Amino acid sequence: MSAPLTPRGLARTRFEGVESSWPERLAERAESLGLAPSEVHMAAELAALATTDDATARHALAIAALAASAALAEGSTRVAVEGDDDRLPQLFAAAVAADPALADTLATVADVLRMPEAAPVVGAPGDDRPLIFDPPFVQIHRVRVGEDRLIARLAARFDASASDAPSSNPTDDALTDEQRAAVDAALRWPLALITGGPGTGKTTVVAAILAAWRAAGCERIALAAPTGKAAKRLAESLGGAHPDIVPQTVHRLLGTSRDGDRVRHGEHDPLPHDVVIVDEASMVDLFTMERLLAAVAPEARLVLLGDADQLPSVDAGAVFRDLIARGGDRVVRLRKSFRMAGDDPAGRTILEAARAINDGDTDPPFARRAAVEALAFEGAEACFGDVSLDAFLDVWERRAIDVGLRDRVARGRVALDDGRTTDADARALLASYARARVLAVTRTDVDRINRALHRRGVARVGGSGAFSLSAGDPVMMTHNDYRRDLFNGDQGVLAWADVDGDARLVALFDDGDAARAVPFTAIRHALVLAYAQTVHKSQGSEFDVAALWLPDRDLPLMTREILYTALTRSRRSAIVLGDARRFATGIARRLARTSRLA
């Protein structure tokens, strides 16, 4: 439970002489919403600005601020506080159960937002107030401004007419009709939107777009992706066909400052490119998309590619999904999957199960196994019921990862040559970890699985287990390190290296024909174990084998989108483990994000 809330500054003077218990009760409400103490204090400060001494009214005003913050944390840009879509009872359900009197306060929120006494805090669209009330919705002012700007910039591109495709546009007979349509849209529209599931050839389309524009004499082209991992994978997929066009993160393209508050390129200093192509666009949030639209010159072309059925951005909005729904002729859907080809039985069953989940089928076609020992590690399988994590990890270590190889690397030393190694075991271990991953919905389950596999490895090689990371462990970067050319999501393995006769712990990252070694101490703060990862973190990744560990209770976080995303990470074997009813409930639940863009 949070520490009692003590109002400060103006809030303290406003609360003197009125009911003193509601600020503490407010802290309890915020904890149930997963909000930080700072957001509780901000809500209290805002409520104190109202020119009323009515404690109930201030309480209602603070609840409106908390609700707007809670909606934003869930990815929505606004929240309804009255009418058929009123979300307050749902958001505060746990709090009302503990304090039934709160229901009466919730019922007054919309009326309080309309009170003249709330004017210092609440304004109408276009006003400069901390909260904007556009009935039945309330939202934070900076979010409203961001949406306004994005909508205006999108409208300008949607209003612009298509132009003729370059006459020199080469025709690639290897492209499908869908892919040709995607290339044509990218050449003709000021904003082109291309969506497709895993393996539908989006990277092939990017390569064809690049070839077409270059054949037309266009050289000023930028490639970008939301994360360093996605940008690096895009570069690898293109295979060096255009060495002068290096994919980069959207933030680096825009020249974003380290604190994220400023960008170099914007409306008054646009990007010097005629064509900007962004891959994995479903991961781009509202604020980043607004900055991107501002930075792309009005006469330049913008191409957004992604999978609209996957999880949207971690932060506010579901911009790509909303645009795909409303994009009309600018939208091209790629439906033919090459990764899960129809002539591949294992891939076909995964594709069929993924499509069933995406269609809302709560009983998708999985091969059901009575126990984890019966898993075949082929196609779409499910082991439902009370699954033992230890029993599953026994099978996982035998079938999915090479623990013998892991232990040899943990016991040995790699030789370095100019900071690189060609050690066969270390490179084979990197490849082994890249092929298989346990996925989970929650960070808690990821940590639990990672710790369990780490302890197993340490025990086998006779380690002390005193450290959270050890030689042989797979690791993942959690921050971008531009100086070392490492990015959030990059994955490596820890190993001992021979440095002037001494053993030094290093992190090895695949670097083409060798593995690059980075001193462990230099990047320790940015590394976490990577035997398992959240489904969110897995976006854009591809594995031969992916197992999804379901949470032990129903969570709003478990939605159709997160299950679809998890399943489509795998090419050959996709396994679901846990409670069948919770799995069906998750499939039936859509990830709902409310925004003006939609």
Side-chain angles (χ1 to χ4, degrees):
M1 179 175 170
S2 300
L5 177 69
T6 302
R8 304 172 186 273
L10 178 61
R12 182 185 299 237
T13 64
R14 294 291 193 191
F15 293 146
E16 287 178 356
V18 299
E19 182 191 349
S20 61
S21 63
W22 84 253
E24 285 77 9
R25 300 208 316 272
L26 181 62
E28 296 171 3
R29 312 293 177 258
E31 186 175 35
S32 70
L33 295 172
L35 298 177
S38 60
E39 291 171 293
V40 181
H41 283 280
M42 180 61 72
E45 294 285 356
L46 286 177
L49 296 174
T51 57
T52 178
D53 291 330
D54 186 332
T56 300
R58 288 212 186 100
H59 196 175
L61 192 56
I63 283 173
L66 284 178
S69 294
L72 188 62
E74 291 181 350
S76 293
T77 64
R78 59 184 185 171
V79 59
V81 296
E82 63 180 348
D84 294 338
D85 296 326
D86 182 0
R87 282 217 59 210
L88 294 181
Q90 181 181 354
L91 282 173
F92 291 89
V96 170
D99 180 6
L102 178 63
D104 294 335
T105 304
L106 296 181
T108 69
V109 168
D111 291 335
V112 169
L113 291 172
R114 291 184 171 92
M115 287 171 48
E117 293 85 351
V121 183
V122 183
D127 289 343
D128 188 12
R129 298 288 189 278
L131 297 178
I132 300 300
F133 186 40
D134 187 3
F137 299 102
V138 65
Q139 65 186 141
I140 298 168
H141 177 264
R142 69 177 179 86
V143 180
R144 178 76 182 205
V145 171
E147 275 191 324
D148 283 343
R149 290 174 177 171
L150 177 58
I151 289 170
R153 298 187 195 287
L154 287 169
R157 290 194 173 267
F158 273 85
D159 289 343
S161 302
S163 58
D164 293 334
S167 58
S168 57
N169 177 14
T171 299
D172 187 343
D173 292 336
L175 297 179
T176 66
D177 290 343
E178 293 174 340
Q179 291 171 331
R180 289 194 190 92
V183 175
D184 183 65
L187 297 176
R188 297 179 62 240
W189 290 104
L191 172 62
L193 305 159
I194 301 165
T195 180
T200 52
K202 293 188 291 292
T203 304
T204 300
V205 168
V206 171
I209 293 170
L210 286 173
W213 275 116
R214 302 205 93 166
C218 177
E219 297 295 330
R220 300 194 304 172
I221 304 173
L223 286 178
T227 66
K229 178 180 68 174
K232 189 173 183 178
R233 191 182 62 256
L234 180 59
E236 293 168 350
S237 299
L238 293 174
H242 303 276
D244 56 325
I245 303 177
V246 180
Q248 56 191 310
T249 65
V250 174
H251 292 294
R252 175 169 270 194
L253 175 69
L254 298 177
T256 306
S257 62
R258 287 187 178 274
D259 59 14
D261 289 339
R262 301 174 305 281
V263 292
R264 173 185 173 186
H265 294 290
E267 184 177 8
H268 302 296
D269 184 12
L271 292 165
H273 301 100
D274 299 314
V275 179
V276 176
I277 303 171
V278 179
D279 194 19
E280 298 288 358
S282 64
M283 299 169 65
V284 181
D285 64 87
L286 180 145
F287 298 108
T288 303
M289 190 68 80
E290 190 277 320
R291 286 180 166 182
L292 176 66
L293 266 291
V296 177
E299 66 277 7
R301 306 297 176 88
L302 177 61
V303 183
L304 303 178
L305 303 98
D307 184 350
D309 295 321
Q310 278 194 91
L311 285 167
S313 58
V314 174
D315 294 318
V319 179
F320 187 68
R321 185 176 72 182
D322 292 341
L323 290 178
I324 291 297
R326 300 291 297 273
D329 293 342
R330 298 159 181 78
V331 174
V332 177
R333 296 180 181 271
L334 304 176
R335 292 181 170 84
K336 179 178 173 57
S337 176
F338 297 92
R339 183 205 294 177
M340 298 179 228
D343 57 359
D344 170 17
R348 185 172 63 249
T349 63
I350 295 173
L351 179 60
E352 290 170 350
R355 286 176 172 170
I357 289 173
N358 201 38
D359 290 340
D361 183 350
T362 57
D363 186 22
F366 282 84
R368 298 201 176 199
R369 310 301 185 195
V372 291
E373 291 79 7
L375 291 168
F377 284 77
E378 287 288 332
E381 301 177 279
C383 185
F384 290 133
D386 187 13
V387 181
S388 162
L389 179 60
D390 282 339
F392 165 65
L393 294 183
D394 286 342
V395 175
W396 184 256
E397 288 189 323
R398 290 198 307 269
R399 303 290 302 277
I401 57 178
D402 192 333
V403 293
L405 187 60
R406 179 225 179 272
D407 297 345
R408 287 201 303 273
V409 170
R411 292 189 178 100
R413 292 189 192 182
V414 300
L416 299 183
D417 181 7
D418 194 24
R420 289 157 57 90
T421 183
T422 57
D423 185 271
D425 279 351
R427 297 187 65 206
L429 185 59
L430 276 168
S432 174
Y433 285 144
R435 287 193 294 268
R437 194 63 42 86
V438 182
L439 305 177
V441 174
T442 69
R443 180 78 251 173
T444 300
D445 280 337
V446 165
D447 290 342
R448 178 185 171 204
I449 295 166
N450 274 325
R451 286 195 301 268
L453 287 169
H454 163 77
R455 286 195 297 265
R456 284 166 171 251
V458 170
R460 283 195 305 271
V461 299
S464 67
F467 300 101
S468 58
L469 296 172
S470 303
D473 282 337
V475 291
M476 179 172 62
M477 291 287 294
T478 59
H479 308 298
N480 292 335
D481 187 332
Y482 292 110
R483 186 163 68 89
R484 295 182 177 85
D485 198 32
L486 293 172
F487 302 98
N488 185 6
D490 281 356
Q491 296 173 26
V493 65
L494 296 182
W496 293 108
D498 194 331
V499 180
D500 298 328
D502 293 329
R504 302 284 178 83
L505 193 60
V506 297
L508 301 176
F509 297 90
D510 184 60
D511 195 24
D513 57 352
R516 181 163 60 99
V518 180
F520 172 73
T521 54
I523 56 173
R524 171 65 185 89
H525 66 286
L527 293 177
V528 295
L529 286 168
Y531 293 102
Q533 64 186 131
T534 62
V535 179
H536 276 93
K537 275 288 187 182
S538 75
Q539 282 185 272
S541 299
E542 297 179 1
F543 309 109
D544 288 338
V545 181
L548 174 64
W549 185 266
L550 298 176
D552 59 7
R553 64 188 188 282
D554 185 42
L555 298 171
L557 185 62
M558 195 160 73
T559 63
R560 183 181 308 176
E561 290 81 2
I562 206 167
L563 298 174
Y564 169 83
T565 301
L567 193 66
T568 54
R569 297 312 88 210
S570 177
R571 290 179 288 255
R572 182 173 59 82
S573 169
I575 300 167
V576 176
L577 305 111
D579 187 87
R581 288 172 299 179
R582 282 194 288 271
F583 185 56
T585 299
I587 294 172
R589 180 188 291 127
R590 296 304 305 265
L591 189 151
R593 290 195 169 180
T594 303
S595 73
R596 291 173 55 236
L597 186 62

